[in-house]
Amino acid sequence: MAKHSIAPKIGMTLSVAAALGSMIVAPLPAAAQSKGIGGLFACEGSGKKQEGGALIGAAAGALLGRAVAKNEKTLGTVVGAAAGAAAGAYIGCRMQSTDQALAQQATKRALDSGRSETWSNSRTGASGRIDVVSSSYGPPIDGQNLRFERGVLQLRSYDAAGGDYTARAAANLRSSPSTTGKVVGKLAAGERVEVLGGAPNSNWLLVGRNGYGVGYVSASLLDQGGYAQASCRIINASISTKGAAPSSERYSACRDGKGEWQLTTV
C-alpha cells in the first residue's frame, strides 16, 4: 500500500520541478573565468550579488520542495533547492540594461586611462565606481636586479611601470609601500620622477634616482606623461542599486592578442 502512495507524490514533485525548470532561463552562478568588458556586468556574470541571490533563491526553493513533498522531504528539498538556485541567480541580476551599459563604459575608460571612473543613473538610482588598483606594462621585474638606498624595503618582484611621471604636488617618499612606512625623502611639486616599478597589487610606485630605489610614493600623487599602454591592470568595481546593499568585486584585466581587455575575478 505504501509503495502505491509514494509513486504519485514523487511524480507530482518531478512534474512541479519540470514546470519550474521550464520557466527558469537564468543560469547558475558560473565559476570565475575570463570575460570581455561587455560581459562583466551581464546577468550571467559571477559575483557576490548574483551568488547571494542564488543562495536566497535556493533557500526559498528548499521550502517549496518540502511543501510539495511532505513525506519525501529529501527528494523534495533537493529538487526545490535546485530550482530556487536558478531563480535566485536571475533575481540577483539587479542591474537594468542602461546601468550595465554605463558601468561597462566607465570600466573601459578606467582601463584605457588608468584612472578611476564613476557612473550613475538618475532614472534607476544605481551608481558605481571603478578604481584602478595597479597597472603593469610588461613582465614582472625581479627585485634582486634593482639597487636600493639604505632603509628602503626591497620586494621580491615589481610590476613593470611605463612612461614618464611628474609629481602633482609635494609628496613624501616612504621606506615601504604603505602610509605607515618611514618618510625617507621628498618630491617637489612638478618634479620629474624616475619610476623603477610598482609594488604588486597596490597603487604604490618605487621611485628611483640614478638607478637606485629611494622610496615609495602613491601613484595617485603622480601624473603619467607620454603614452604607455598597460598590458594588465587590477581594478575594483563597486556597485550600488536601489533596494540592495552595495557590493564590490576585484578583477584582473589584461589585453588579449587583439588589444581587448579580458577580465577575471581575483
Short mmCIF file of all heavy atoms in Angstrom, two decimals, residues 57-90:
data_model
loop_
_atom_site.label_atom_id
_atom_site.label_comp_id
_atom_site.label_asym_id
_atom_site.label_seq_id
_atom_site.Cartn_x
_atom_site.Cartn_y
_atom_site.Cartn_z
N GLY A 57 17.56 32.29 -3.25
CA GLY A 57 16.62 31.52 -4.06
C GLY A 57 16.66 30.05 -3.70
O GLY A 57 15.63 29.37 -3.70
N ALA A 58 17.84 29.52 -3.39
CA ALA A 58 17.95 28.12 -3.01
C ALA A 58 17.20 27.84 -1.73
O ALA A 58 16.53 26.81 -1.58
CB ALA A 58 19.42 27.74 -2.85
N ALA A 59 17.28 28.77 -0.77
CA ALA A 59 16.57 28.58 0.49
C ALA A 59 15.07 28.59 0.26
O ALA A 59 14.33 27.76 0.79
CB ALA A 59 16.97 29.69 1.47
N ALA A 60 14.60 29.52 -0.58
CA ALA A 60 13.17 29.57 -0.89
C ALA A 60 12.74 28.32 -1.64
O ALA A 60 11.67 27.76 -1.40
CB ALA A 60 12.87 30.82 -1.72
N GLY A 61 13.60 27.86 -2.54
CA GLY A 61 13.28 26.64 -3.29
C GLY A 61 13.20 25.42 -2.39
O GLY A 61 12.40 24.52 -2.61
N ALA A 62 14.06 25.38 -1.39
CA ALA A 62 14.04 24.25 -0.46
C ALA A 62 12.72 24.19 0.29
O ALA A 62 12.14 23.12 0.48
CB ALA A 62 15.20 24.36 0.52
N LEU A 63 12.21 25.34 0.71
CA LEU A 63 10.92 25.37 1.40
C LEU A 63 9.80 24.93 0.46
O LEU A 63 8.88 24.21 0.86
CB LEU A 63 10.64 26.79 1.92
CG LEU A 63 11.59 27.28 3.02
CD1 LEU A 63 11.25 28.72 3.40
CD2 LEU A 63 11.51 26.38 4.25
N LEU A 64 9.89 25.37 -0.79
CA LEU A 64 8.89 24.97 -1.78
C LEU A 64 8.92 23.46 -1.97
O LEU A 64 7.89 22.80 -2.03
CB LEU A 64 9.14 25.67 -3.10
CG LEU A 64 8.27 25.22 -4.29
CD1 LEU A 64 6.81 25.52 -4.00
CD2 LEU A 64 8.71 25.91 -5.57
N GLY A 65 10.13 22.90 -2.05
CA GLY A 65 10.26 21.46 -2.24
C GLY A 65 9.65 20.67 -1.10
O GLY A 65 9.02 19.64 -1.30
N ARG A 66 9.83 21.15 0.12
CA ARG A 66 9.26 20.44 1.26
C ARG A 66 7.75 20.51 1.27
O ARG A 66 7.07 19.57 1.65
CB ARG A 66 9.82 21.04 2.56
CG ARG A 66 11.30 20.73 2.76
CD ARG A 66 11.71 20.98 4.17
NE ARG A 66 13.11 20.61 4.38
CZ ARG A 66 13.67 20.52 5.58
NH1 ARG A 66 12.96 20.75 6.65
NH2 ARG A 66 14.94 20.19 5.71
N ALA A 67 7.23 21.66 0.83
CA ALA A 67 5.78 21.80 0.79
C ALA A 67 5.17 20.86 -0.24
O ALA A 67 4.09 20.31 -0.04
CB ALA A 67 5.40 23.25 0.47
N VAL A 68 5.86 20.66 -1.35
CA VAL A 68 5.36 19.80 -2.41
C VAL A 68 5.43 18.34 -2.02
O VAL A 68 4.56 17.54 -2.34
CB VAL A 68 6.16 20.03 -3.71
CG1 VAL A 68 5.79 19.00 -4.77
CG2 VAL A 68 5.88 21.44 -4.24
N ALA A 69 6.49 17.93 -1.32
CA ALA A 69 6.68 16.52 -0.98
C ALA A 69 6.88 16.38 0.52
O ALA A 69 7.99 16.24 1.01
CB ALA A 69 7.87 15.94 -1.73
N LYS A 70 5.82 16.47 1.29
CA LYS A 70 5.91 16.42 2.74
C LYS A 70 6.49 15.11 3.24
O LYS A 70 7.24 15.08 4.20
CB LYS A 70 4.52 16.64 3.34
CG LYS A 70 3.97 18.04 3.11
CD LYS A 70 2.62 18.19 3.75
CE LYS A 70 2.07 19.61 3.52
NZ LYS A 70 0.72 19.77 4.12
N ASN A 71 6.11 14.01 2.59
CA ASN A 71 6.58 12.71 3.05
C ASN A 71 7.91 12.30 2.44
O ASN A 71 8.54 11.37 2.89
CB ASN A 71 5.53 11.63 2.73
CG ASN A 71 4.24 11.84 3.50
OD1 ASN A 71 4.27 12.37 4.60
ND2 ASN A 71 3.14 11.43 2.90
N GLU A 72 8.33 12.98 1.39
CA GLU A 72 9.61 12.69 0.75
C GLU A 72 10.47 13.94 0.83
O GLU A 72 10.82 14.56 -0.16
CB GLU A 72 9.42 12.26 -0.71
CG GLU A 72 8.76 10.92 -0.87
CD GLU A 72 7.26 10.99 -0.64
OE1 GLU A 72 6.64 11.99 -1.05
OE2 GLU A 72 6.71 10.05 -0.04
N LYS A 73 10.83 14.36 2.07
CA LYS A 73 11.48 15.65 2.30
C LYS A 73 12.83 15.74 1.60
O LYS A 73 13.22 16.79 1.09
CB LYS A 73 11.64 15.90 3.80
CG LYS A 73 10.31 16.16 4.48
CD LYS A 73 10.51 16.49 5.95
CE LYS A 73 9.17 16.80 6.62
NZ LYS A 73 9.33 17.12 8.05
N THR A 74 13.59 14.65 1.57
CA THR A 74 14.91 14.71 0.96
C THR A 74 14.82 15.02 -0.52
O THR A 74 15.45 15.95 -1.03
CB THR A 74 15.67 13.39 1.15
OG1 THR A 74 15.80 13.16 2.55
CG2 THR A 74 17.05 13.47 0.52
N LEU A 75 14.01 14.24 -1.24
CA LEU A 75 13.85 14.47 -2.67
C LEU A 75 13.26 15.83 -2.94
O LEU A 75 13.73 16.58 -3.80
CB LEU A 75 12.96 13.37 -3.27
CG LEU A 75 12.60 13.54 -4.75
CD1 LEU A 75 13.87 13.52 -5.58
CD2 LEU A 75 11.65 12.44 -5.20
N GLY A 76 12.23 16.21 -2.18
CA GLY A 76 11.58 17.49 -2.39
C GLY A 76 12.52 18.65 -2.15
O GLY A 76 12.53 19.62 -2.89
N THR A 77 13.34 18.54 -1.11
CA THR A 77 14.26 19.62 -0.79
C THR A 77 15.31 19.79 -1.86
O THR A 77 15.64 20.90 -2.28
CB THR A 77 14.94 19.36 0.57
OG1 THR A 77 13.94 19.31 1.57
CG2 THR A 77 15.93 20.46 0.91
N VAL A 78 15.88 18.67 -2.36
CA VAL A 78 16.91 18.74 -3.39
C VAL A 78 16.36 19.36 -4.67
O VAL A 78 16.97 20.26 -5.26
CB VAL A 78 17.49 17.34 -3.67
CG1 VAL A 78 18.38 17.37 -4.90
CG2 VAL A 78 18.27 16.85 -2.47
N VAL A 79 15.19 18.88 -5.11
CA VAL A 79 14.61 19.40 -6.33
C VAL A 79 14.25 20.87 -6.17
O VAL A 79 14.53 21.71 -7.02
CB VAL A 79 13.36 18.57 -6.71
CG1 VAL A 79 12.62 19.24 -7.87
CG2 VAL A 79 13.76 17.16 -7.09
N GLY A 80 13.65 21.22 -5.03
CA GLY A 80 13.26 22.61 -4.79
C GLY A 80 14.45 23.53 -4.72
O GLY A 80 14.42 24.64 -5.25
N ALA A 81 15.52 23.10 -4.06
CA ALA A 81 16.70 23.95 -3.93
C ALA A 81 17.35 24.19 -5.27
O ALA A 81 17.82 25.30 -5.56
CB ALA A 81 17.70 23.30 -2.97
N ALA A 82 17.39 23.18 -6.13
CA ALA A 82 17.99 23.34 -7.45
C ALA A 82 17.22 24.36 -8.27
O ALA A 82 17.79 25.25 -8.90
CB ALA A 82 18.02 22.00 -8.18
N ALA A 83 15.89 24.28 -8.24
CA ALA A 83 15.07 25.24 -8.98
C ALA A 83 15.21 26.63 -8.38
O ALA A 83 15.31 27.62 -9.09
CB ALA A 83 13.60 24.79 -8.96
N GLY A 84 15.24 26.71 -7.05
CA GLY A 84 15.35 28.01 -6.39
C GLY A 84 16.67 28.68 -6.67
O GLY A 84 16.74 29.90 -6.79
N ALA A 85 17.75 27.91 -6.75
CA ALA A 85 19.06 28.49 -7.02
C ALA A 85 19.08 29.15 -8.38
O ALA A 85 19.63 30.24 -8.55
CB ALA A 85 20.14 27.42 -6.93
N ALA A 86 18.48 28.50 -9.37
CA ALA A 86 18.44 29.08 -10.70
C ALA A 86 17.60 30.35 -10.72
O ALA A 86 17.97 31.35 -11.32
CB ALA A 86 17.88 28.06 -11.70
N ALA A 87 16.46 30.32 -10.01
CA ALA A 87 15.62 31.51 -9.94
C ALA A 87 16.35 32.63 -9.22
O ALA A 87 16.30 33.79 -9.60
CB ALA A 87 14.31 31.18 -9.22
N GLY A 88 17.10 32.27 -8.14
CA GLY A 88 17.83 33.27 -7.39
C GLY A 88 18.90 33.92 -8.22
O GLY A 88 19.20 35.11 -8.07
N ALA A 89 19.54 33.15 -9.12
CA ALA A 89 20.57 33.71 -9.98
C ALA A 89 19.96 34.81 -10.84
O ALA A 89 20.58 35.83 -11.10
CB ALA A 89 21.17 32.61 -10.86
N TYR A 90 18.72 34.59 -11.27
CA TYR A 90 18.05 35.60 -12.08
C TYR A 90 17.68 36.82 -11.23
O TYR A 90 17.89 37.96 -11.63
CB TYR A 90 16.79 35.02 -12.72
CG TYR A 90 16.02 36.00 -13.57
CD1 TYR A 90 16.44 36.32 -14.85
CD2 TYR A 90 14.88 36.64 -13.07
CE1 TYR A 90 15.75 37.23 -15.63
CE2 TYR A 90 14.19 37.56 -13.84
CZ TYR A 90 14.63 37.85 -15.11
OH TYR A 90 13.95 38.76 -15.87
#
